Amino acid sequence: MAVAPQPALQRRRFVVAGVVQGVGFRPFVHGLARRHGLAGFVLNTGRGVVIEAEGGGEALDSFVAALRAEAPSLARLEAVAELRMEPRGERGFAIQASDAGSAGDRAAEAGAVLPDVARAGIPADTATCDDCLRELFDRFDRRHRYPFINCTQCGPRFTIVRGVPYDRPNTTMARFEMCADCRREYEDPADRRFHAEPIACPDCGPRLSMPLEEAVGMLRDGAVLAVKGLGGWHLACDARSEEAVARLRARKHREEKPFALMAGDPWAPGGCPWAAVRIPRAADPRTLVELTPADERLLRSPERPIVLMRRRADAPVADSVAPGAPLLGVMLPYTPLHHLLLHDFGGPLVMTSGNRSDEPIAVEDEDAARRLGDIADGFLGHDRAIHRRCEDSVVRTGFPIRRSRGFAPSALRLPVAARRPLVAAGAELKSTFCVASGDRAFLSPHLGDLDSEPALRAFRADLRLYVDMLGVEPAAVARDMHPDYLSTRWADEQNLPVVEVQHHHAHAAACLAEHGETGPALALVFDGTGYGVDGTLWGGELLRCDLASFERVVHLEPVPLPGGEAAIREPWRTTAAYLERAGRPVTFEGWTLVRQSLAVNAPLSSGMGRLFDAVSALLGVRERVSYEGQAAVELEWLADGAEAAPYGCRTEEGAIAGSDLVAAAHDDLAAGRPRAEIAAAFHEGVAAAAADACEEANEPRTVVLSGGSFQNLRLLTSTRRRLEASGFRVLTHRLVPANDGGISYGQAAVAARRMM
């Protein structure tokens, strides 16, 4: 009887770059190799993952195809380099000890180009998976109610990693020695925790600083509790208690800005009766907001962002959680501790950043005790250190508002590669930085406002961690033109070549870059304030641009800001300036005195945000603000659901006459027209004027919408609809914020193009 010939042995080395560490990739490769009958090994290196596999040619071809097609959901394969080698006649396939040295550099031998970043990608932190949740609430499981349960598909990553390769000794879990049971799971290829680096259990892992039942009791008694999360501390209290929320507001010095909420997870897995996760109705997010299918997908995504959704009229939360707001920002639990806390408490919790307003979030335990000691009544902490600051992300259906936990440090593409590594320093408000190398840009988590020495220290420390993580040495720095930004001053101190990027060009470039485009395009960039090339404050611009350069085509007419920054805090001042320009009477008390500042301190501003502020104050919505953007946000709320034809306004000599819109609003208010209709007519008027300006400019036929004002959903929707009806192709933000949180990414894109 003839025996079929055995296929000739081949051996191949694969070097896989991307987010392939900390996502269960080595266990996946191990199982895949065994399935295809291959011998060899897999290991982590400083560049990614190296695989050497030996077997028949067809088996190897199938293996590499499955490597790409079946990779774990958290993995991101960016390149796979391949090299043929001499067979060794090995038996079996193993996960070898990691190599931080030269093994990853063998990619050069493979004749393939890997990304220029010299280190492996670090994955983002990921919400607790369903399998771990089942165990968390299974009273027969050895990790029953253990607040630090995790596996290869969930748990902390970015916030605990000290360096690469991603192995336990390079994380803040290094101090916790595995017990025999955890070690057995960690080394068992058939186990879900096979090489799960943060693996832990009650016998060997981190522990809480206080009993959970004590913490829940404090919350039920109306206390403010500091809770240690993944990337920093939160401040929590009963969201149903007016007294508790008022206490938190007073201590945190946060007068009116809405608080985020954490609700229970009604979609948590059931399984066997004793493992079912039963959330009380009072903690169900569906009792708080009107949940659309798109909202639900965002809410339940592995990133677990705060999602802004329409508030139910009967939502069981204190009015002071989000005073007057039609929206609530809600997130689901994303750590085992959160799940236990919400499950046991039985209602929604305020879960806001652990800081005083406008300060960086507290990360280290000692810093939290010092800065939050007079805010919190107790501290629910633990002994697993946080290595990197990372606040919660915030999204609204269709676009991000804050790109942070769950998304950072995932790489963003650059349409033009940076030939040398560079750092983009960002702006001042909603500060971020961006590190770029090759065609990848790494946008930092949200840092807060960069307007104080503590904020600057956090900026420097976090940037150093990022640069070390990526293994790059910056050769240039990109910055804003504003001479007084702390980010500008930092950039000028670096003794590196500086690429100066105008604020609104950076906004436009960020939107182009995230769509993989270089321009040319028209760009409507509407925000509050940005330093212009003429030394005035811009913010209502139509640019014709590409990544390298721009020209200002049309802009909102400049108006003086009486008292400078005081006009931002007191929008009625800007209203008065607009009314005078429009020839309408000014009746605000105090204008006679304030008007004198026009001669000494009244910088010109074309900011769209200031125009929205002016109409908000005119309609009595908000004459003074307690947080950035409040007047404009509340004007959007007023217009919500109202229908009205747009107000008209002139465009003369390249300037859109915003005073025409203010005059129309003034006259309608005097005539007794409902304020909601006036607000709607104003919104539609701005959108119509913007679309008309693009029609007049005509070319190119692609329009970018960027800047913080385009977080206004009514303005965004109406402007896009009008432009598309005129045949324009419209690009809006989907990966980075339209606000200043996306500025550093835009700066990086511009700098990379100019450095070609």
Side-chain angles (χ1 to χ4, degrees):
M1 179 177 175
V3 178
Q6 294 296 314
L9 282 181
Q10 295 182 16
R11 188 178 184 90
R12 301 181 197 173
R13 174 187 293 144
F14 306 96
V15 183
V16 188
V19 181
V20 289
Q21 297 187 14
V23 293
F25 194 75
R26 287 175 301 168
F28 157 71
V29 171
H30 183 275
L32 196 64
R34 294 182 66 177
R35 191 175 92 201
H36 287 83
L38 302 177
F41 65 85
V42 60
L43 59 83
N44 280 345
T45 78
R47 290 287 305 273
V49 168
V50 170
I51 306 164
E52 290 194 9
E54 188 169 309
E58 289 186 5
L60 284 166
D61 290 342
S62 298
F63 169 79
V64 73
L67 195 69
R68 298 175 184 275
E70 302 174 21
S73 60
L74 301 180
R76 299 290 182 271
L77 277 65
E78 297 182 359
V80 180
E82 182 175 334
L83 174 69
R84 291 181 180 267
M85 306 175 68
E86 286 297 319
R88 298 179 185 173
E90 282 184 335
R91 294 183 180 275
F93 195 92
I95 295 179
Q96 291 190 355
S98 297
D99 180 359
S102 61
D105 297 332
R106 296 172 187 158
E109 302 173 33
V113 179
L114 291 178
D116 290 339
V117 174
R119 300 294 180 96
I122 299 298
D125 299 319
T126 305
T128 310
C129 70
D130 285 353
D131 288 333
C132 283
L133 277 179
R134 290 187 186 95
E135 293 174 347
L136 183 68
F137 288 96
D138 181 352
R139 66 178 182 268
F140 297 111
D141 192 275
R142 74 186 193 90
R143 291 186 176 88
H144 177 229
R145 294 184 59 84
Y146 181 56
F148 306 97
I149 192 171
N150 67 85
C151 70
T152 55
Q153 291 304 300
C154 71
R157 300 289 192 274
F158 172 66
T159 52
I160 65 169
V161 173
R162 297 188 187 276
V164 293
Y166 175 72
D167 290 309
R168 194 180 183 93
N170 290 331
T171 73
T172 61
M173 287 296 295
R175 62 179 290 255
F176 300 99
E177 185 175 350
M178 289 183 219
C179 66
D181 287 336
C182 284
R183 173 64 64 182
R184 184 168 54 253
E185 293 169 333
Y186 182 84
E187 295 176 351
D188 181 0
D191 196 281
R192 194 174 86 255
R193 293 185 173 89
F194 183 41
H195 280 265
E197 305 305 340
I199 189 172
C201 76
D203 293 333
C204 66
R207 298 186 179 186
L208 295 178
S209 62
M210 67 188 306
L212 191 61
E213 56 268 25
E214 181 180 338
V216 171
M218 292 180 67
L219 290 169
R220 286 176 177 161
D221 290 340
V224 174
L225 190 68
V227 181
K228 190 174 182 180
L230 286 179
W233 287 74
H234 286 103
L235 291 166
C237 72
D238 185 350
R240 299 165 297 187
S241 168
E242 289 285 358
E243 290 184 4
V245 177
R247 188 177 300 116
L248 175 56
R249 284 202 178 279
R251 295 177 182 176
K252 188 175 164 73
H253 303 297
R254 182 161 165 169
E255 299 172 24
E256 296 167 303
K257 189 175 183 179
F259 281 132
L261 299 176
M262 183 173 281
D265 185 355
W267 300 281
C272 50
W274 58 87
V277 186
R278 297 183 177 87
I279 298 298
R281 177 171 170 74
D284 193 323
R286 293 170 294 193
T287 68
L288 305 176
V289 292
E290 297 173 7
L291 203 62
T292 68
D295 290 335
E296 182 180 328
R297 285 192 295 272
L298 285 171
L299 200 62
R300 298 178 61 187
S301 67
E303 294 82 9
R304 285 293 198 274
I306 298 168
V307 184
L308 298 183
M309 296 170 284
R310 185 168 295 279
R311 178 179 189 158
R312 287 177 57 100
D314 58 349
V317 295
D319 290 339
S320 56
V321 164
L327 306 176
L328 288 177
V330 180
M331 60 180 156
L332 295 182
Y334 55 84
T335 71
L337 176 58
H338 291 146
H339 279 281
L340 293 169
L341 201 59
L342 268 294
H343 177 273
D344 294 1
F345 180 70
L349 292 172
V350 167
M351 196 69 75
T352 188
S353 300
N355 57 5
R356 294 185 184 278
S357 291
D358 302 326
E359 288 184 354
I361 190 172
V363 173
E364 297 178 355
D365 294 355
E366 297 79 4
D367 184 45
R370 178 177 56 82
R371 291 168 52 200
L372 307 180
D374 57 353
I375 301 177
D377 298 302
F379 286 76
L380 178 58
H382 54 75
D383 54 355
R384 184 182 68 205
I386 298 170
H387 189 58
R388 302 177 196 276
R389 189 187 328 270
C390 198
E391 289 218 47
D392 295 318
S393 295
V394 183
V395 301
R396 195 171 182 179
T397 301
F399 55 88
I401 294 173
R402 180 198 293 172
R403 184 184 184 275
S404 201
R405 178 191 48 75
F407 299 96
S410 300
L412 298 162
R413 290 292 182 182
L414 289 174
V416 176
R419 295 191 173 182
R420 294 177 293 164
L422 65 92
V423 168
E428 180 177 73
L429 301 180
K430 302 173 178 65
S431 171
T432 61
F433 58 77
C434 187
V435 181
S437 185
D439 66 350
R440 295 197 293 175
F442 296 86
L443 185 63
S444 77
H446 169 82
L447 299 176
D449 294 345
L450 189 58
D451 58 359
S452 65
E453 186 55 37
L456 183 58
R457 285 197 300 270
F459 172 91
R460 288 173 174 149
D462 290 6
L463 176 56
R464 185 71 259 167
L465 289 173
Y466 242 60
V467 168
D468 289 346
M469 174 185 73
L470 298 171
V472 300
E473 193 59 43
V477 60
R479 65 160 174 81
D480 195 270
M481 294 179 62
H482 199 299
D484 295 328
Y485 281 177
L486 292 182
S487 58
T488 298
R489 296 179 186 177
W490 173 86
D492 290 343
E493 294 169 354
Q494 299 312 299
N495 196 30
L496 290 172
V498 171
V499 180
E500 193 175 63
V501 184
Q502 198 278 327
H503 191 91
H504 301 96
H505 185 207
H507 271 304
C511 192
L512 278 172
E514 71 166 75
H515 286 272
E517 302 201 10
T518 61
L522 295 173
L524 287 167
V525 186
F526 292 170
D527 67 1
T529 299
Y531 196 84
V533 296
D534 59 1
T536 65
L537 303 178
W538 292 8
E541 317 303 318
L542 175 61
L543 309 178
R544 183 178 284 113
C545 66
D546 55 24
L547 289 185
S549 61
F550 74 93
E551 63 172 315
R552 196 185 192 198
V553 180
V554 176
H555 57 85
L556 191 63
E557 66 175 337
V559 297
L561 300 182
E565 289 191 6
I568 298 174
R569 296 189 299 271
E570 299 180 354
W572 69 267
R573 295 172 179 241
T574 309
T575 310
Y578 266 114
L579 288 172
E580 280 208 348
R581 174 157 298 190
R584 299 299 192 271
V586 179
T587 59
F588 290 106
E589 184 179 350
W591 175 238
T592 302
L593 181 62
V594 169
R595 192 179 187 283
Q596 298 175 18
S597 67
L598 292 175
V600 292
N601 182 21
L604 289 176
S605 168
S606 62
M608 185 60 72
R610 303 290 79 83
L611 176 59
F612 272 75
D613 287 354
V615 174
S616 181
L618 175 68
L619 298 183
V621 175
R622 182 62 58 178
E623 293 187 7
R624 290 172 174 79
V625 301
S626 62
Y627 62 89
E628 190 261 336
Q630 183 179 13
V633 166
E634 293 183 3
L635 183 65
E636 179 189 0
W637 297 347
L638 177 63
D640 186 41
E643 298 296 330
Y647 288 141
C649 69
R650 297 164 291 127
T651 298
E652 295 181 350
E653 298 181 355
I656 299 171
S659 54
D660 287 0
L661 301 174
V662 176
H666 171 275
D667 295 347
D668 275 356
L669 185 65
R673 188 179 187 185
R675 294 187 312 142
E677 289 185 14
I678 297 173
F682 167 73
H683 276 78
E684 297 302 320
V686 172
D692 289 347
C694 291
E695 275 286 1
E696 182 68 22
N698 190 38
E699 294 290 342
R701 300 301 290 177
T702 294
V703 181
V704 164
L705 305 183
S706 190
S709 294
F710 279 115
Q711 293 175 145
N712 181 317
L713 194 57
R714 172 109 189 210
L715 177 64
L716 176 70
T717 302
S718 181
T719 305
R720 179 167 50 196
R721 173 174 50 81
R722 294 172 187 277
L723 287 168
E724 289 177 343
S726 296
F728 285 99
R729 173 173 169 259
V730 181
L731 302 181
T732 61
H733 285 276
R734 58 186 184 183
L735 299 178
V736 302
N739 60 44
D740 282 8
I743 282 282
S744 63
Y745 174 59
Q747 291 171 342
V750 171
R753 173 62 182 85
R754 290 183 184 170
M755 290 167 61
M756 283 181 60

